[in-house]
Amino acid sequence: MKINMFLPGIGHSGGVQMATDYLNYFSKHGNDVICYVPFTGAYYGWKRILFPKSIYRILRSKDLRGKWISHNITVKFVPFIDNIFVRNADITIATSWLTSYWVYKLRPQKGAKVYFIQDFETWGKERENSKVKASYQLPYDLRVSVSTELHDRLMKETDASSSVICNGIPESYIIKTREYGSNNNDIVIGIPFREKRAVKQDIKNTSFGINSLLTFVKKHPNIKLKTFGFKKPKDFPKQIKFLENPSREELNEWYDSVNLFYVPSIYEGWGLPAMEAMARGCVVLGSDTGCLKELGRHLKNCYKIQNMTDQEELFKGLEILCRSQNLRKNISKNAISTVKYYSFEKEANKFLELLNKL
């Protein structure tokens, strides 16, 4: 098959990573794939067309596609998404609410239209959120959502049905077992650093998470803190070691150095970092949303927090896990076993089967 995929930008995010990973899988299995990206990135409206800073960033980038995107994929940067710049194909895939409108306007010769939905993207202003919800009701040939929770929300709020394909972890990234030190005091807590993604409420809740951990380690100075992200902010707390723009290998090593992995998000469409951490045997603390709602079991393969803005509840969970090495071992072991059932290869094959039916 000829498969076209459309990204709003090529920035570092779990959503972009999963979209391009699927495209790479389709390519390895004999399909002709192209990923289209507009020069200006994720902008809309006449005021943002040909946004100078975006073009400058692209031209000056040392690694245009990022260390974590497979270089087997053909990425085409075009002025904007239009029939003129897009080839005819069998399948055309939108990967965000913005790209869904671009794909919807393409001629039928560009392929059967597929909407790959990784999040309920209503984190903007009301006018934008109305466009987001309307995008889920566009007459696509197939919608694919990444979790049962997301599928249910799409049905409840927009009456949009979808096929569920959970995001998975490559089998080569899933470790068989994890070694543990004998000293209960040698604990490292990790947290993903992600930029604010909402106008009214920061659903990633990163600032709250970082400030809470800094408060926690004041009472436990032996505990170390680590984070990773695309770019280290200015004036970032020195108490937290920051890994900037890691490759996949570097990120796996980072997870291996962390005992507890705290995801402060209030809501996740899927939440790839939590699943990546589980695959490396980390004990994940997070809310009952995204992948943790799909496959997480409290005190079995993760630790679930009910109120993600309650610092005392977080501290209680950290205290419990820090005190009991046996509990950490059991959760770690079960986390690895759970993730094996959600390997990327299994989920990607399900996705490809759906496309073949179209």
Side-chain angles (χ1 to χ4, degrees), residues 37-41 49-50 55 76-82 85 102:
V37 184
F39 285 137
T40 52
I49 290 178
L50 298 181
I55 298 175
K76 284 193 174 182
F77 289 89
V78 294
F80 52 91
I81 304 303
D82 185 82
F85 304 109
W102 300 342

Side-chain angles (χ1 to χ4, degrees), residues 324-340:
S324 178
Q325 188 181 58
N326 286 333
L327 179 59
R328 296 198 304 272
K329 283 184 177 180
N330 289 333
I331 291 177
S332 172
K333 181 180 178 180
N334 292 333
I336 296 169
S337 298
T338 300
V339 172
K340 288 179 180 178

Side-chain angles (χ1 to χ4, degrees), residues 129-343:
N129 290 343
S130 64
K131 293 181 179 180
V132 172
K133 291 182 179 181
S135 77
Y136 301 137
Q137 297 173 318
L138 293 173
Y140 268 71
D141 298 295
L142 172 69
R143 298 183 196 89
V144 175
S145 56
V146 297
S147 70
T148 303
E149 179 186 24
L150 181 55
H151 167 273
D152 293 345
R153 188 175 179 185
L154 288 167
M155 287 294 295
K156 181 179 179 180
E157 296 191 31
T158 66
D159 197 29
S161 62
S162 63
S163 297
V164 177
I165 301 292
C166 296
N167 288 337
I169 299 295
E171 293 174 358
S172 61
Y173 298 162
I174 305 173
I175 61 175
K176 294 181 179 180
T177 185
R178 178 164 176 152
E179 298 295 328
Y180 298 88
S182 58
N183 191 341
N184 218 35
N185 293 324
D186 296 333
I187 294 176
V188 179
I189 302 176
I191 180 174
F193 178 81
R194 292 182 283 185
E195 299 287 349
K196 184 177 180 180
R197 294 181 62 187
V199 174
K200 293 183 178 180
Q201 184 180 37
D202 179 11
I203 60 173
K204 296 304 181 183
N205 205 27
T206 302
S207 295
F208 171 85
I210 288 175
N211 292 332
S212 296
L213 291 182
L214 290 173
T215 301
F216 184 75
V217 296
K218 287 180 180 179
K219 298 181 180 179
H220 305 273
N222 57 301
I223 294 176
K224 295 180 176 62
L225 301 178
K226 288 186 175 183
T227 188
F228 69 88
F230 179 60
K231 186 175 180 59
K232 184 178 179 179
K234 294 181 180 179
D235 302 320
F236 192 77
K238 295 181 180 179
Q239 302 95 312
I240 306 178
K241 188 175 181 181
F242 197 108
L243 176 63
E244 190 174 73
N245 192 22
S247 65
R248 169 46 59 183
E249 292 71 23
E250 291 170 336
L251 188 55
N252 282 343
E253 291 177 3
W254 186 93
Y255 284 124
D256 293 344
S257 71
V258 168
N259 305 102
L260 308 181
F261 186 69
Y262 166 47
V263 183
S265 302
I266 295 171
Y267 168 78
E268 291 279 0
W270 181 251
L272 192 61
M275 197 173 186
E276 290 175 339
M278 292 175 72
R280 305 302 294 187
C282 299
V283 177
V284 174
L285 298 88
S287 62
D288 189 32
T289 184
C291 70
L292 291 188
K293 188 175 186 68
E294 190 83 29
L295 53 88
R297 301 293 178 267
H298 181 55
L299 292 177
K300 296 295 183 182
N301 59 14
C302 67
Y303 188 99
K304 292 189 180 182
I305 302 171
Q306 297 303 313
N307 185 350
M308 298 306 293
T309 59
D310 185 343
Q311 198 172 77
E312 291 304 314
E313 185 182 356
L314 168 63
F315 289 174
K316 179 183 177 181
L318 291 173
E319 292 279 5
I320 291 172
L321 294 169
C322 287
R323 284 199 302 264
S324 178
Q325 188 181 58
N326 286 333
L327 179 59
R328 296 198 304 272
K329 283 184 177 180
N330 289 333
I331 291 177
S332 172
K333 181 180 178 180
N334 292 333
I336 296 169
S337 298
T338 300
V339 172
K340 288 179 180 178
Y341 290 100
Y342 293 85
S343 75

